[in-house]
Amino acid sequence: MGEQILIVQFEDVLSIENNQMVQHFAQLTRTLKIEGVKDIVTAMSNFSIMYDPLLISFEQLKEKLAQIELTEIHGTKKKSRVVHIPVVFDEQHGPDLAELAKITGYSVQEIIKMITSKTYYVYMLGFIAGLPYMGDIDERIIVPRKSNPTAKVPKGTVAIANRMTSIYTVESPGGWHLVGWTPMNIFDVTQNPPNFIGAGDYVKYEPISSEDAYKWSKQVRKERNQLWNI
């Protein structure tokens, strides 16, 4: 805990219920509009408050947080939205699908069906700007990160590792298993907010063909991807 950061820690477990409490408490803190608080960033089981010590002290900030009643933290949570993400699942865009089939013993088509049959909860954004950590993957295809990371993972790549799935928001190295690609731009610095997906949302992958993906990308790139959001 640094001089300008206060961390509010919840139970150190990975669960939707615990994370929803984190999101809810963070939102209640935002509504206080505390002078000196510069930003609030949520994580899996905690959230961090960045503040200006010249405007508010650590003890004063703790007193402000104490105004939030325990009943409020456990109270009604905001209604989550479901964001539908179009994804191409094939060998070109999902180069690790064949290897996953060997590891798990399931066919590529069975793996794709397992991935697309679930709706994933967004636990947090992090690592790379706007990169969502979502879960939980079907337990039959839970695999650890790759021992040899991929040097360049294209922007928009859908990947899985351990209990999580994610979408790479920029080209970068990565150790997750690459299973597909989306034409949707889920992080755009020209937009406010830049994140199309937020912590607390739910995400559903919708399989589409490669041809449709490129047509879709060209048609709606300027429309902020709204066609797939409900």
Side-chain angles (χ1 to χ4, degrees):
M1 185 157 48
E3 183 184 22
Q4 297 180 322
I5 300 177
L6 185 151
I7 298 175
V8 180
Q9 181 67 51
F10 285 72
E11 187 178 1
D12 191 17
V13 296
L14 180 61
S15 74
I16 293 177
E17 182 180 7
N18 192 57
N19 185 264
Q20 286 178 331
M21 288 181 59
V22 171
Q23 304 298 335
H24 187 51
F25 195 1
Q27 184 57 36
L28 289 173
T29 304
R30 293 186 184 100
T31 62
L32 293 178
K33 297 181 179 179
I34 303 170
E35 183 180 6
V37 170
K38 297 186 289 186
D39 197 9
I40 297 175
V41 179
T42 59
M44 294 286 190
S45 59
N46 62 56
F47 68 91
S48 300
I49 303 174
M50 274 62 78
Y51 67 96
D52 185 343
L54 297 178
L55 297 177
I56 187 170
S57 70
F58 179 78
E59 292 300 325
Q60 289 173 326
L61 183 53
K62 287 204 302 182
E63 290 176 5
K64 292 287 186 180
L65 294 178
Q67 297 176 15
I68 301 176
E69 298 289 341
L70 187 62
T71 53
E72 291 184 82
I73 301 174
H74 291 274
T76 303
K77 312 296 191 303
K78 72 171 185 178
K79 184 178 180 181
S80 297
R81 63 174 186 157
V82 178
V83 181
H84 293 251
I85 305 290
V87 180
V88 181
F89 294 98
D90 59 22
E91 292 184 4
Q92 177 185 351
H93 300 94
D96 293 328
L97 283 170
E99 182 63 23
L100 281 173
K102 292 180 182 178
I103 294 172
T104 63
Y106 294 100
S107 70
V108 168
Q109 289 305 314
E110 287 174 326
I111 290 172
I112 293 172
K113 186 175 181 180
M114 292 178 200
I115 294 172
T116 58
S117 64
K118 299 198 68 174
T119 301
Y120 301 103
Y121 177 76
V122 182
Y123 285 97
M124 62 175 283
L125 305 179
F127 175 52
I128 301 172
L131 186 146
Y133 285 80
M134 305 177 286
D136 289 10
I137 283 290
D138 189 303
E139 63 181 12
R140 293 172 293 177
I141 53 173
I142 291 177
V143 291
R145 292 166 60 94
K146 295 192 291 187
S147 55
N148 296 312
T150 305
K152 289 185 179 181
V153 179
K155 175 182 177 179
T157 296
V158 175
I160 65 172
N162 299 312
R163 293 169 56 184
M164 295 288 165
T165 179
S166 191
I167 302 169
Y168 283 79
T169 53
V170 296
E171 181 182 281
S172 70
W176 293 35
H177 299 270
L178 315 180
V179 297
W181 174 80
T182 178
M184 178 179 282
N185 186 14
I186 66 168
F187 183 79
D188 186 347
V189 294
T190 68
Q191 301 295 322
N192 184 24
N195 304 312
F196 187 60
I197 298 172
D201 286 341
Y202 285 87
V203 166
K204 183 77 165 59
Y205 294 142
E206 304 289 352
I208 59 173
S209 68
S210 179
E211 181 181 0
D212 286 343
Y214 286 108
K215 288 180 181 178
W216 185 95
S217 180
K218 184 177 180 180
Q219 290 172 349
V220 304
R221 186 172 295 160
K222 296 181 180 180
E223 299 177 10
R224 189 63 172 105
N225 306 310
Q226 291 299 320
L227 294 178
W228 283 80
N229 181 34
I230 64 171

